[in-house]
Amino acid sequence: AIPYFNERNMVISQGRGLAAEDMGACVVSEHFLEEYGLGIGDRINIKFGDKLFHQNAVCGATADNEEELSDFVDGAELEIVGAYRFTDDANMRLSEFKWAYSSSTVFVPKSLLPVEIPPDYEFSPGEFSIIAEDALDIETFRENAELFAAEMNLALRFSDGGWLGVKDSFEIGFFASLLTTVLYGVGAALALFLAVCLYIKRNKNAYAIMRTLGVPASKARNAVVLPLAALFVPAMVIGGLAGIFYTMETAAESLGTMTADAPAAYIMDTSVSVWMVILCFCLELGFMLAVTVFFLGRIGKIPPLELLQEGTGKNGFGKKRNRKWAGWEIAGPSTNAGPPVPVRLDLAKVSAAGKMAGGRRYYAFGQMAAYSFRHMRRGIGKTMVSFAIMVLLASGIGMFGLTRLAYEDAFREIDVKGRALEFSSSSILEMCGLGLMDGLYCHGGFTVRTNGHGSHTQMTFTNDIDRYLENRGKVTYAQGYHSSALGRDDAVCLIGSGLAETLGVRPGDEIALISDSFYSTIEEMYNNNEVILNAVANGEQSLELAVEQRTTVYQVIGMIESDDAEVDSSIFAGINSVMESVYGQPFPCSFCEFTLSDNERLDELDSLLSEQKTSGERYAPMASYHIDAERLKNMERICILLESLFPIAVTAAVAVGLFASGLVILQLAREAAFLRILGVTKKRARCMLMLEQVFLSVAGILFVACCLALYNPGLFTRSAGTLAFCYALYFLGCLSGAAMAAIRITRGRVLELLMMDIY
C-alpha cells in the first residue's frame, strides 16, 4: 500500500516484503545489508523511539531540534526477510515525492509500534493509501475517489498497475473460463444421463423376465443396478482423483516455485479441499442415483409382459401407417381378412440400370440419409440428448480455446516497464537501436565550462525535453528548429534565459563546452612534464590552447524562460555521440525509463541489460537496472497453466464423444438385425447406423462454430486454426466410436444380433 512501492520507485530486490501475519520480521535496504555484512535470514536488534514524527521530504522522520529527540525504549530482535532497492534517481525522489525514504529506513510491522496513537492525533503533512480489493471495481473506485478528493481538496495520486489496459481481455477470459466450466459440467451430466438411460433401456428385457419369473421388484431393480454401480463408483473415484492430482501438479509446475519462507498471501493455492472433493463425489453419485431411480421407476410402472413386447410404449413404432423407403415397402396390419404381408420386395420396381420406376434414379446415400433422418425423428428424445452433448462438448473446447487466446492477449497488452540507473551513454545509444524498448526516456547531467569561463554550469541531457521540464518552463525555438532537433546527432542545445543573459548569447549563437571532469583530466596531464614536452612538440603552447582544441562548439537553437532557478541557469541537449566529446568519454546516464516493446522478448532484454551493465563498468561502475515484470510473469504462469490443461480438456471431450456415440449405436442391435434380415449388406448397415451420429456431430460442430463467431468474431478468427484441428479430432473421436460400435453389432449372424439385444 506504500505508494513509493506501488509506483515501483522502490522494489523488493531480495527476499520478500512484509505480510499481515508477520510479527518479528523487517525489511531493510541493499545498502544496509552491504554496510553491516548481513543477509536475508539474519537477525538484528532494534530499539524503538517513544515519539511519533512526520515524514520529512529530505531527511525522513526526524526531530526538528534536540528537545524533540526520542528516548529509546526496549525493542525487539527481528529477522530480515527482504531487502529493497531504489529504482529512481535521488533528484527525482527529492523533488517529486513528499514521502522520501533513505537507505537507512527499516520497515517493521505496525504491531511493533511502541506508542499508542492518540485519537485526536493529526497526520500533517500526511498520506494514506487505499487498495481496491476487487480489480473489477477499480474503475468505479477511481471515479468516486476523484469526486471525494475534489470535495475534500485533497491531492489524489492514482495507480492501477496497468489494469485498465488489460481489463477487457481479463473480463473476456474470466467469462469464457467460467462458461467453459459450466459447459463441461453440463456436458458431463448429460453424458451420464444418456449412459444410464441407455443402460436401463438395454436391460429392461432382463428386468421384465425376472419380474415374470416372480422375482420381487426390489431385487430385480438391484440386479439391474448393481453391475452399473460396480463400474460407475470405481470409475468416478479413479477418474476424479486422477483429474484432481493432474490439475494440481500441472498448476504447481506452471505457477513456478516460490521461496520456502514466503507468507501464504504470496503463494497461489493450487490444492483442492478434501471437503470439496467429497462434495463433488457426493453430487455426482447423487445425480447418477437420481437418474437411475427415475428410469427404473418408469419401467417399473409398465407390466412385465408389455415390456417384453416390441412396438409398445410411446416409441411410436406401432403406428398404423404405410412407409415407403426406396425399393422397400413396409406395410402395417391389413384390414382384410387374410393374413398381412409385413415385408415385400418388389423387384419389378428396380431396373437393371439401377433406375426406379418412373424414371427416378436410386442413390445409396439418399437411402441411408432418409433412414437416418426417420430414425432421428422417431427417437427424438435420444437424438436431442445426443445433439446437446455434442454441442456442449464442442462449446467447451471452443470456449477453452477462446479463454487461452484472451489471456494471451492480456499477456501481450501488459505494459512491462523498466528503469536503468547510471548506465553509460554508449550503452543507452546501443540499446535504442535494437527495437527492444518503447517510450525510452533518459536524463542526466554534469557540469561544464562555457566559452572558456571558469564558472561551473549545469548541463542536462535528455531525449525528451518536454517531459523533463513538465511545464516548468516555456521554450522558444529559433526559426527552423523544433524539439526534434535534440534527437538528432547534432551539436545543438537549449539554454536558460538567465544563463543566456549572463553569457550574452541568443538563439542562433554558438557556445564552446567542455565538462569539468574532462578539463581536470587535461589539467592533470599538463602537470606531467612528459606530457608537456609532447604537447610542445605538437605545437601546443599552453593549457588554455589544449583545452580550446578539445572543446565542442554547440549551436543554441532555443531559449527557456522559467521561474525555476535550476532550469533558468542550465544548458539542455540531447543524448548523442557529440555529448560524449564534451564529456571526454562515454558518460553515466542518471535515469532511464522504458517499456518492453514485445513481452515475449523479456529474457532477451534482461540479458542485454545485464551484458551492457558489465561491459560499461569502466565508464559507469554504479549501473543498475530493474524490470517490473512480476505482473507479466504471473500472466505467463496463467497462460502456461491453460496451455497445459487444454490438451487434457480436448482429450476428455473427445473421449466422451467417442463413448457417447458408441453407446447410442450399441442399443440398435435389433434394428441392425432387421436390416440384415431385409438383405442389407453389412457395409451398408454399418453406414446407415453411423450416419446418424455423423450428422449430429457435424451439425453440433457447425452450430457451435457459428455461435463462437457471433460471440467474439476477433478471437474466433484468430483461433480458427486451433479450433479446426480440435474439432477435427472431436469429429474423428465421434466417428471412431460410432464405427467401432457399428462393426460390433453387425459382425455376427442375424440370430446372434437378436439374442444380443435380448441379453
Side-chain angles (χ1 to χ4, degrees):
I2 297 177
Y4 218 76
F5 277 95
N6 187 297
E7 295 168 8
R8 315 306 288 175
N9 296 309
M10 293 168 67
V11 295
I12 299 296
S13 57
Q14 300 179 43
R16 61 174 177 83
L18 291 178
E21 63 269 18
D22 282 331
M23 296 294 291
C26 68
V27 172
V28 299
S29 69
E30 286 182 330
H31 179 72
F32 185 93
L33 294 180
E34 182 180 351
E35 182 176 356
Y36 293 101
L38 299 172
I40 303 299
D42 291 340
R43 307 184 72 86
I44 58 175
N45 292 310
I46 290 182
K47 289 187 176 181
F48 301 105
D50 59 355
K51 293 182 181 179
L52 295 173
F53 295 97
H54 297 299
Q55 190 81 355
N56 185 276
V58 178
C59 304
T62 58
D64 292 333
N65 51 65
E66 292 185 1
E67 296 179 357
E68 294 184 358
L69 289 176
S70 295
D71 292 328
F72 290 100
V73 298
D74 292 337
E77 185 181 52
L78 305 179
E79 179 185 358
I80 301 176
V81 296
Y84 61 86
R85 175 200 304 161
F86 292 105
T87 62
D88 63 339
D89 62 317
N91 291 332
M92 175 177 289
R93 283 196 297 190
L94 297 181
S95 62
E96 295 188 4
F97 299 97
K98 290 183 177 179
W99 278 55
Y101 299 95
S102 70
S103 58
S104 61
T105 301
V106 178
F107 293 93
V108 300
K110 183 182 175 182
S111 59
L112 298 179
L113 194 65
V115 296
E116 293 186 2
I117 302 177
D120 57 346
Y121 184 82
E122 289 190 16
F123 291 89
S124 177
E127 180 179 59
F128 63 91
S129 305
I130 297 175
I131 294 179
E133 293 184 354
D134 189 347
L136 298 178
D137 295 334
I138 286 181
E139 198 166 5
T140 304
F141 171 78
R142 185 186 65 176
E143 294 172 356
N144 287 275
E146 288 174 348
L147 295 175
F148 174 78
E151 292 176 359
M152 301 296 293
N153 194 27
L154 298 174
L156 177 65
R157 202 161 75 234
F158 180 81
S159 172
D160 64 3
W163 166 252
L164 294 181
V166 299
K167 178 174 66 71
D168 293 340
S169 296
F170 261 94
E171 290 179 348
I172 293 174
F174 175 77
F175 177 76
S177 59
L178 179 62
L179 189 57
T180 300
T181 305
V182 173
L183 290 172
Y184 268 95
V186 177
L190 275 181
L192 181 61
F193 177 87
L194 180 64
V196 174
C197 171
L198 296 178
Y199 176 83
I200 299 297
K201 182 179 178 181
R202 185 176 182 83
N203 289 273
K204 67 180 182 180
N205 287 339
Y207 173 83
I209 292 173
M210 286 187 288
R211 294 287 290 122
T212 303
L213 295 176
V215 178
S218 59
K219 291 186 177 181
R221 286 195 295 267
N222 291 338
V224 172
V225 172
L226 285 178
L228 176 64
L231 291 175
F232 176 81
V233 175
M236 178 187 70
V237 174
I238 295 173
L241 293 178
I244 289 172
F245 286 115
Y246 173 84
T247 305
M248 289 170 55
E249 290 298 321
T250 304
E253 293 177 2
S254 302
L255 296 175
T257 58
M258 298 288 187
T259 54
D261 58 342
Y266 281 69
I267 302 176
M268 183 177 291
D269 187 8
T270 60
S271 62
V272 180
S273 171
V274 176
W275 294 108
M276 180 60 67
V277 174
I278 295 175
L279 176 63
C280 291
F281 283 161
C282 291
L283 289 176
E284 190 173 0
L285 186 62
F287 178 78
M288 178 264 185
L289 182 62
V291 174
T292 304
V293 170
F294 171 75
F295 284 109
L296 285 177
R298 290 191 61 182
I299 66 173
K301 296 178 181 179
I302 303 175
L305 292 179
E306 188 175 344
L307 284 175
L308 293 174
Q309 296 177 1
E310 289 293 333
T312 60
K314 301 179 181 181
N315 293 327
F317 292 116
K319 292 184 178 179
K320 297 179 181 180
R321 61 180 182 181
N322 294 333
R323 301 178 179 90
K324 293 184 178 181
W325 172 41
W328 304 90
E329 182 176 325
I330 302 176
S334 174
T335 56
N336 300 328
V341 181
V343 179
R344 182 176 71 255
L345 173 64
D346 191 350
L347 297 177
K349 292 184 178 181
V350 184
S351 66
K355 293 184 178 180
M356 302 294 293
R360 291 182 300 162
R361 187 172 181 82
Y362 170 77
Y363 291 100
F365 181 78
Q367 177 200 26
M368 293 186 295
Y371 171 83
S372 298
F373 286 128
R374 279 199 300 271
H375 188 269
M376 285 190 286
R377 285 202 312 271
R378 291 167 183 165
I380 188 65
K382 182 176 62 178
T383 300
M384 293 305 297
V385 172
S386 299
F387 181 72
I389 292 175
M390 293 182 178
V391 167
L392 289 170
L393 294 177
S395 299
I397 294 174
M399 293 306 298
F400 207 131
L402 297 188
T403 301
R404 291 170 56 239
L405 204 58
Y407 281 109
E408 288 175 4
D409 286 346
F411 173 83
R412 286 188 291 268
E413 292 167 358
I414 289 178
D415 286 338
V416 179
K417 296 186 179 296
R419 291 175 177 177
L421 307 181
E422 302 298 332
F423 267 67
S424 69
S425 57
S426 58
S427 297
I428 297 297
L429 293 174
E430 182 177 346
M431 290 187 295
C432 287
L434 297 178
L436 291 174
M437 301 177 180
D438 288 335
L440 183 67
Y441 169 66
C442 305
H443 70 78
F446 49 82
T447 57
V448 296
R449 293 170 177 257
T450 59
N451 291 338
H453 292 147
S455 59
H456 304 287
T457 303
Q458 177 67 25
M459 185 167 189
T460 300
F461 52 86
T462 179
N463 67 330
D464 190 343
I465 186 63
D466 296 326
R467 178 176 175 180
Y468 180 83
L469 291 176
E470 289 186 343
N471 300 320
R472 290 186 295 165
K474 180 181 180 182
V475 183
T476 304
Y477 290 95
Q479 187 175 2
Y481 289 97
H482 191 262
S483 60
S484 60
L486 297 178
R488 297 193 292 265
D489 201 20
D490 298 332
V492 295
C493 66
L494 300 174
I495 189 170
S497 57
L499 180 62
E501 183 177 353
T502 302
L503 298 177
V505 298
R506 295 186 302 175
D509 293 344
E510 294 181 344
I511 56 175
L513 303 175
I514 186 171
S515 69
D516 283 343
S517 61
F518 194 17
Y519 179 88
S520 300
T521 301
I522 298 174
E523 187 177 33
E524 183 179 352
M525 290 171 60
Y526 264 79
N527 290 332
N528 187 312
N529 294 330
E530 182 180 351
V531 174
I532 294 176
L533 292 176
N534 292 335
V536 173
N538 293 330
E540 297 179 4
Q541 301 299 324
S542 64
L543 173 62
E544 289 74 12
L545 182 59
V547 170
E548 181 180 351
Q549 291 180 350
R550 288 168 174 78
T551 57
T552 304
V553 177
Y554 267 70
Q555 183 178 7
V556 179
I557 63 170
M559 195 88 66
I560 303 177
E561 296 181 2
S562 174
D563 295 332
D564 190 319
E566 180 183 351
V567 175
D568 192 54
S569 59
S570 297
I571 299 174
F572 300 88
I575 303 176
N576 50 38
S577 59
V578 182
M579 179 69 71
E580 293 182 352
S581 65
V582 176
Y583 194 77
Q585 64 179 20
F587 50 88
C589 185
S590 301
F591 179 79
C592 180
E593 187 177 57
F594 54 85
T595 302
L596 180 61
S597 59
D598 185 353
N599 289 351
E600 294 182 357
R601 303 178 68 182
L602 173 63
D603 293 337
E604 185 178 348
L605 177 61
D606 185 69
S607 299
L608 175 65
L609 288 170
S610 179
E611 179 183 342
Q612 291 295 331
K613 175 185 175 182
T614 303
S615 62
E617 287 183 349
R618 176 182 175 185
Y619 306 109
M622 302 298 294
S624 64
Y625 71 92
H626 172 75
I627 302 176
D628 186 15
E630 189 59 34
R631 287 186 292 269
L632 182 69
K633 291 179 180 178
N634 288 335
M635 181 53 57
E636 185 179 19
R637 295 186 186 106
I638 295 176
C639 292
I640 294 175
L641 177 61
L642 293 176
E643 196 74 27
S644 302
L645 294 178
F646 186 61
I648 195 65
V650 175
T651 303
V654 171
V656 174
L658 187 151
F659 287 107
S661 59
L663 283 175
V664 171
I665 292 181
L666 285 176
Q667 311 306 311
L668 304 179
R670 182 177 292 273
E671 294 187 34
F674 288 157
L675 291 174
R676 298 285 290 118
I677 291 173
L678 294 175
V680 179
T681 63
K682 288 184 178 181
K683 181 179 179 181
R684 180 70 58 83
R686 291 166 183 171
C687 292
M688 294 169 71
L689 295 173
M690 291 170 52
L691 200 57
E692 176 180 347
Q693 297 303 309
V694 172
F695 283 151
L696 290 177
S697 60
V698 172
I701 291 173
L702 292 177
F703 175 77
V704 170
C706 293
C707 292
L708 292 177
L710 293 175
Y711 169 69
N712 196 311
L715 290 179
F716 176 77
T717 302
R718 291 163 51 200
S719 62
T722 302
L723 292 181
F725 177 75
C726 294
Y727 285 151
L729 289 179
Y730 180 67
F731 174 75
L732 290 176
C734 296
L735 185 62
S736 300
M740 289 187 293
I743 294 173
R744 168 72 178 83
I745 65 174
T746 57
R747 68 182 179 181
R749 298 178 181 178
V750 174
L751 293 179
E752 292 177 353
L753 293 178
L754 293 176
M755 295 299 292
M756 182 189 301
D757 184 67
I758 295 175
Y759 295 106

